[in-house]
Amino acid sequence: LGHPVWLLAQPDAVSPALTARTFGTSQYGDYRVKALLQISCHPHAPKASLTLEIMPPLLGFDSDPFEGKDASANGPLRVTTGTRPAVDHWVNGVCNAGGAFQVNALFALSTAVSREELAYWVSDASRGQTVEFSLTPATDDGRSLTASFSLPENNRGLEKIVQPCLSDTSTSPVEP
């Protein structure tokens, strides 16, 4: 396996929103498959989001209760970076066709990310640390869905993407 990297993209040609992605592993019970961590920032609405993409059918995970605005389950998704205290996030999920894996079985769990978390992830202190995700399923079978990512040693790409979301919007120049 190579060293993890941040892959930068502008997913929609008409939107200025930018993303940084890295790959990791998801696990549920005895099943383990690739996962994708995506950090997004829209420069005109500086609130960053985090998306965890998994493949529920390959994991045997029931994502249906987490899908849509009126989902019966919304987490929490527990995020732990290195030895820092865990942070719980409420999530909303949607099915995605294709995505980074080019398969039709992706499920994306999304949530807002605080400036404090973002600032840490782009700091030198975070380089190479592990980010762990844990989501308790809607049905209590004693197992959690987990995902693990190693933060890339080179975080310049992530820093470039999230800079508008780290800036103090009250001092940002207003576009004509």
Side-chain angles (χ1 to χ4, degrees), residues 17-93:
L18 302 171
T19 65
R21 299 174 176 171
T22 193
F23 292 93
T25 305
S26 60
Q27 183 170 348
Y28 184 66
D30 295 331
Y31 300 101
R32 183 184 304 244
V33 296
K34 284 183 183 179
L36 178 95
L37 171 60
Q38 175 176 289
I39 308 297
S40 302
C41 178
H42 191 290
H44 302 299
K47 183 77 172 171
S49 65
L50 170 157
T51 300
L52 173 64
E53 283 191 1
I54 59 169
M55 293 182 277
L58 297 180
L59 291 166
F61 181 78
D62 182 10
S63 59
D64 289 350
F66 295 93
E67 187 172 0
K69 287 183 179 180
D70 298 326
S72 60
N74 60 358
L77 176 67
R78 177 158 285 184
V79 181
T80 308
T81 305
T83 58
R84 291 170 55 93
V87 179
D88 287 344
H89 295 273
W90 300 113
V91 293
N92 189 290

Side-chain angles (χ1 to χ4, degrees), residues 5-161:
V5 296
W6 287 110
L7 304 172
L8 309 183
Q10 183 176 354
D12 184 347
V14 297
S15 171
L18 302 171
T19 65
R21 299 174 176 171
T22 193
F23 292 93
T25 305
S26 60
Q27 183 170 348
Y28 184 66
D30 295 331
Y31 300 101
R32 183 184 304 244
V33 296
K34 284 183 183 179
L36 178 95
L37 171 60
Q38 175 176 289
I39 308 297
S40 302
C41 178
H42 191 290
H44 302 299
K47 183 77 172 171
S49 65
L50 170 157
T51 300
L52 173 64
E53 283 191 1
I54 59 169
M55 293 182 277
L58 297 180
L59 291 166
F61 181 78
D62 182 10
S63 59
D64 289 350
F66 295 93
E67 187 172 0
K69 287 183 179 180
D70 298 326
S72 60
N74 60 358
L77 176 67
R78 177 158 285 184
V79 181
T80 308
T81 305
T83 58
R84 291 170 55 93
V87 179
D88 287 344
H89 295 273
W90 300 113
V91 293
N92 189 290
V94 295
C95 285
N96 286 336
F101 303 113
Q102 299 304 310
V103 295
N104 291 322
L106 291 179
F107 190 72
L109 291 160
S110 298
T111 188
V113 180
S114 72
R115 281 187 181 171
E116 181 185 6
E117 281 179 280
L118 275 184
Y120 183 75
W121 289 346
V122 299
S123 74
D124 290 344
S126 73
R127 294 177 186 206
Q129 288 197 22
T130 300
V131 178
E132 301 279 345
F133 294 85
S134 178
L135 179 69
T136 303
T139 55
D140 185 19
D141 64 1
R143 302 178 296 172
S144 291
L145 169 75
T146 60
S148 180
F149 299 85
S150 291
L151 290 175
E153 290 289 337
N154 181 339
N155 58 13
R156 286 190 306 268
L158 176 63
E159 186 173 18
K160 178 181 177 182
I161 296 297

